[in-house]
């Protein structure tokens, strides 16, 4: 039911495409790579992402529209954000300041309040996961997000995230909480204000 228009990005597990639905509306589709789609653990992780993202409805979060985790080509469809990632904006035009930095900080904080109110911890707040749409931040990529009381959050020996943006508790194998996301918020704003990665 979706027509793929172009590839937007690629990660370890999947490829994200810009697509059009039957009514011509632009959407983003993350499809598991063929060799990954045969792995039951990868499908389980995608199903967790669907469950997690389905809890959240907020203008600063790219919400879920559709999904199929059982078919031959497992996918998630989310709202398409026609804006660049924060890291690209800062790299191309320099650090943010004044009203632009305030707009970023407030919008991202509102997204985190909504996520946490839904009982979710994102765990990977970083400039590459923040798209800017007319200056407003929209948080994407809930691939390693989990429901806050999920016992997998505290499993030792498993570190997932982006170096430099990982909170101390993730690195130390301690309990992950909302504070984990606020660490990501702070270092993301630090990057946006300075142009330097942590």
């Amino acid at each position: 039911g979706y027509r793929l228009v172009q590839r937007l990005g690629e990660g370890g597990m999947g490829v994200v495409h810009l697509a059009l639905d039957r009514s011509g509306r632009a959407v983003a589709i993350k499809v598991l790579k063929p060799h990954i789609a045969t792995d039951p653990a990868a499908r389980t992780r995608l199903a967790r992402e669907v469950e997690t993202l389905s809890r959240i409805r907020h203008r600063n979060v790219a919400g879920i529209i559709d999904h199929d985790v059982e078919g031959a080509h497992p996918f998630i469809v989310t709202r398409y954000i026609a804006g660049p990632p924060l890291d690209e904006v800062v790299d191309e035009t320099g650090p943010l300041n004044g009203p632009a930095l305030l707009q970023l900080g407030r919008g991202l904080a509102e997204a985190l309040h909504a996520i946490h109110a839904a009982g979710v911890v994102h765990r990977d707040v970083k400039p590459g996961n923040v798209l800017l749409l007319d200056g407003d931040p929209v948080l994407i990529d809930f691939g390693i997000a989990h429901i806050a009381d999920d016992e997998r959050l505290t499993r030792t020996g498993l570190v997932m995230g982006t170096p430099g943006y990982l909170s101390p508790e993730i690195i130390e194998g301690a309990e992950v909480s909302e504070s984990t996301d606020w660490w990501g918020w702070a270092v993301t704003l630090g990057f946006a204000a300075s142009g330097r990665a942590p």
Side-chain angles (χ1 to χ4, degrees):
Y2 298 93
R3 183 166 63 86
L4 302 184
V5 176
Q6 71 181 60
R7 182 181 293 218
L8 296 174
E10 184 172 346
M13 287 184 52
V15 179
V16 180
H17 300 270
L18 168 63
L20 299 176
D21 67 11
R22 287 188 175 97
S23 67
R25 174 181 59 168
V27 296
I29 299 182
K30 177 162 69 174
V31 183
L32 289 185
K33 293 178 180 178
H35 67 282
I36 300 288
T38 59
D39 179 4
R43 286 177 179 259
T44 299
R45 183 172 162 191
L46 190 69
R48 268 199 319 267
E49 184 174 353
V50 168
E51 178 189 1
T52 301
L53 198 49
S54 295
R55 293 171 163 240
I56 305 161
R57 294 278 183 256
H58 194 273
R59 67 184 185 88
N60 295 104
V61 174
I64 193 163
I65 296 169
D66 191 10
H67 68 278
D68 178 1
V69 297
E70 303 295 332
H73 305 285
F75 66 87
I76 296 177
V77 180
T78 62
R79 186 175 123 220
Y80 171 65
I81 309 302
L86 174 62
D87 54 354
E88 286 183 16
V89 171
V90 172
D91 287 346
E92 291 173 10
T93 63
L96 304 182
N97 55 49
L101 186 61
L102 184 61
Q103 185 177 7
L104 171 67
R106 282 183 176 162
L108 196 52
E110 289 176 14
L112 292 183
H113 284 302
I115 290 165
H116 298 158
V120 172
V121 178
H122 187 282
R123 300 183 71 211
D124 199 19
V125 178
K126 63 181 182 180
N129 284 342
V130 178
L131 302 182
L132 294 179
L133 185 61
D134 298 324
D136 280 325
V138 180
L139 192 57
I140 63 167
D141 195 353
F142 283 71
I144 63 171
H146 286 296
I147 296 161
D149 60 359
D150 192 325
E151 54 115 27
R152 286 176 295 246
L153 286 174
T154 56
R155 184 181 299 161
T156 58
L158 177 65
V159 176
M160 295 180 73
T162 304
Y165 294 91
L166 290 171
S167 67
E169 60 269 20
I170 289 180
I171 294 169
E172 294 168 0
E175 184 175 347
V176 174
S177 69
E178 294 176 4
S179 297
T180 303
D181 288 344
W182 289 112
W183 173 277
W185 176 86
V187 293
T188 295
L189 287 183
F191 166 77
S194 68
R196 294 188 304 272

